[in-house]
Amino acid sequence: MREEADVVVIGGGVTGCGIAYNLAKKGLTDVIVLERQVPCVGASGRCGGGIRQQFTTDANITLAMESVRLFEQLSVELDTDIEYEQGGYLIIAYEDEVDQFKRNVRLQNSLGLESRFITPEEAREIVPLLNIDPIAGATFCQTDGHANPFRVVHGYARKAQKMGVEISKFTAVTGIVVEDGQIRAVKTDKGTIKTNTVVNAAGAYSRDIASMVGVSLPNKPYRHEILVTEPVEHVLDPMVISFKTGVYFSQQKHGPIIGGIGDPEEPSSYNISASLRFMKRMARTVVELVPAFGHLNVLRQWAGLYDVTPDAQPVLGWTEGVDQFCQANGYSGHGFMIAPKVTELIAELIVDGKPSMPIDDLNLKRFEGEITGEAYVVG
Amino acid sequence: MTEIVCRCEDITEEDILDAIDQGYTTLEEIKRVLRCGMGPCQGRTCIPLITRIVARKTGKSLAEVSRPTTRPPLQPLPLSVFAGEEE
């Protein structure tokens, strides 16, 4: 492991590896990524792989739209098939959601996103197996979709390594040395690395990293569970989700249905065990929407952590009080889908001093004032 | 000679050795790169075989090669089974 680096990135998920790749692409290759286990072992490797642009805040919609533009070329850029498919996102609307969803579509349209409100019958044309009896409509955006998170993270990591970045696995950060508000070094269980720039991309553990230098993040960890079925023939184009029930599911390129459901009673914790309660709630909700899926065999269930902020938007950029300490966390369950743009912007912030799109509204400072948040969180 | 070690995903011994050469030296990484252990057998067939290959290639003992977490359900079960039960 190197003893000195221009930039130390903490966390080997899609954000950490993506930032390392984008720094190297801009010519800054003296970078080390510290990963406590192996890349993609945390939330990035546990998520459903969905890529959605239908959000309710300007920041999330814009970051997601810009990310889709980058996802569209990522297989070529990273020399690996990221299994990207634009089958759309179908957001189920129940009766009491219709008016709000129509307003959300107007906001999305005003930012250039081609989402639309559709009837139950139109929804069934997109998903022929869908039971439309309980639904009042849906919103749909064809350019939403999904990709394989393993391929994306490993793609970023490999390409970054080829350009000179070091990825140090099984390396846990134990402390950050700060003198007079300046970062001097990062301490790990494998030795100390001299640096003056640190990126905090540790997902749900980012608040622990920040607290090492006395910075308090409002982020909280929440378990979210997910399951995968046996692979079957192609029957489902879009990701289907509902904010009312918290369910989401899609069919991956090699055949399995993968999906999860949020649980309003889940307390904040670092628990990532799998529960029977989830399995029952998920099965009931999915089988009501797509009765034919009752026949699918479940192969496996697991869980991961959402790193949730008070407004469900990420914490990005420099930190007051500690120079050159960059936050890239707090994704609240949608880090994978906005990673391509976010990681590019963070690299621009570090190398050029200024990102090509303003991210000031996403700075940690915003939690000092009044908060207006993202309403569309699922899973 | 080509030896299949993961029948769900058609992965050969050679594929495993290649992955190790590329730096994916743990079962956790090999699973993520090649999908071994994520198919219908859930690793029952392939993981013991791959554990041996990794141990041999990296010079570790079998006990030192950590295995991926075993996930529920223990056998594949239809969603309708879980949907049918009351709380």
Side-chain angles (χ1 to χ4, degrees), chain A residues 151-283:
Chain A
R151 296 288 186 90
V152 173
V153 178
H154 288 132
Y156 276 138
R158 264 198 306 266
K159 201 84 182 183
Q161 283 170 309
K162 274 186 192 151
M163 291 189 278
V165 168
E166 180 176 353
I167 295 181
S168 185
K169 48 189 187 184
F170 299 112
T171 307
V173 172
T174 55
I176 300 170
V177 181
V178 176
E179 285 168 11
D180 305 326
Q182 313 283 320
I183 292 171
R184 302 289 182 212
V186 174
K187 288 183 170 175
T188 78
D189 56 358
K190 290 205 172 146
T192 299
I193 306 152
K194 277 191 207 160
T195 187
N196 55 30
T197 303
V198 170
V199 179
N200 184 8
Y205 298 91
S206 298
R207 66 174 188 175
D208 297 340
I209 297 295
S211 71
M212 288 175 178
V213 294
V215 170
S216 172
L217 295 182
N219 312 16
K220 285 186 180 169
Y222 285 91
R223 172 178 69 170
H224 282 260
E225 299 186 67
I226 183 166
L227 61 76
V228 64
T229 72
E230 63 193 328
V232 288
E233 68 179 284
H234 185 84
V235 292
L236 181 63
D237 288 331
M239 175 82 84
V240 177
I241 73 174
S242 158
F243 294 109
K244 184 170 270 306
T245 62
V247 75
Y248 66 92
F249 53 89
S250 68
Q251 184 168 27
Q252 302 298 294
K253 201 164 187 175
H254 62 293
I257 306 293
I258 189 164
I261 187 166
D263 190 337
E265 288 174 33
E266 183 72 29
S268 174
S269 81
Y270 285 106
N271 175 17
I272 51 164
S273 59
S275 76
L276 184 58
R277 174 185 158 89
F278 158 76
M279 186 68 103
K280 290 178 177 178
R281 295 179 72 242
M282 180 68 187

Side-chain angles (χ1 to χ4, degrees), chain A residues 83 158 169 296 298 300-301, chain B residues 23-24 29 35 72 77 79:
Chain A
E83 300 179 355
R158 264 198 306 266
K169 48 189 187 184
L296 286 177
V298 180
R300 186 168 76 251
Q301 64 174 118
Chain B
Y24 302 114
E29 290 165 290
R35 280 200 188 105
L77 280 174
L79 273 174

Side-chain angles (χ1 to χ4, degrees), chain A residues 38 40-41 46 83 148 150 154 158 169-170 254 274 279-280 283-284 293-294 296-302, chain B residues 23-26 28-29 32-33 35 38-40 42 71-73 76-80 82-83 85-87:
Chain A
V38 294
C40 216
V41 86
R46 293 164 183 271
E83 300 179 355
N148 181 334
F150 299 143
H154 288 132
R158 264 198 306 266
K169 48 189 187 184
F170 299 112
H254 62 293
M279 186 68 103
K280 290 178 177 178
R284 249 180 255 135
F293 283 177
L296 286 177
N297 280 315
V298 180
L299 291 186
R300 186 168 76 251
Q301 64 174 118
W302 67 98
Chain B
Y24 302 114
T25 52
T26 63
E28 285 291 351
E29 290 165 290
R32 283 166 175 73
V33 175
R35 280 200 188 105
M38 296 166 86
Q42 284 297 291
R71 310 277 186 197
L77 280 174
L79 273 174
S80 58
F82 298 105
E85 278 185 88
E86 296 301 312
E87 284 285 353

Side-chain angles (χ1 to χ4, degrees), chain B residues 42-82:
Chain B
Q42 284 297 291
R44 281 174 195 79
T45 314
C46 57
I47 294 297
L49 294 169
I50 300 169
T51 305
R52 285 179 181 282
I53 297 170
V54 170
R56 198 176 64 220
K57 174 96 178 168
T58 60
K60 291 182 174 171
S61 72
L62 285 179
E64 284 172 312
V65 180
S66 68
R67 302 192 178 196
T69 314
T70 305
R71 310 277 186 197
L74 279 176
Q75 319 179 358
L77 280 174
L79 273 174
S80 58
V81 168
F82 298 105

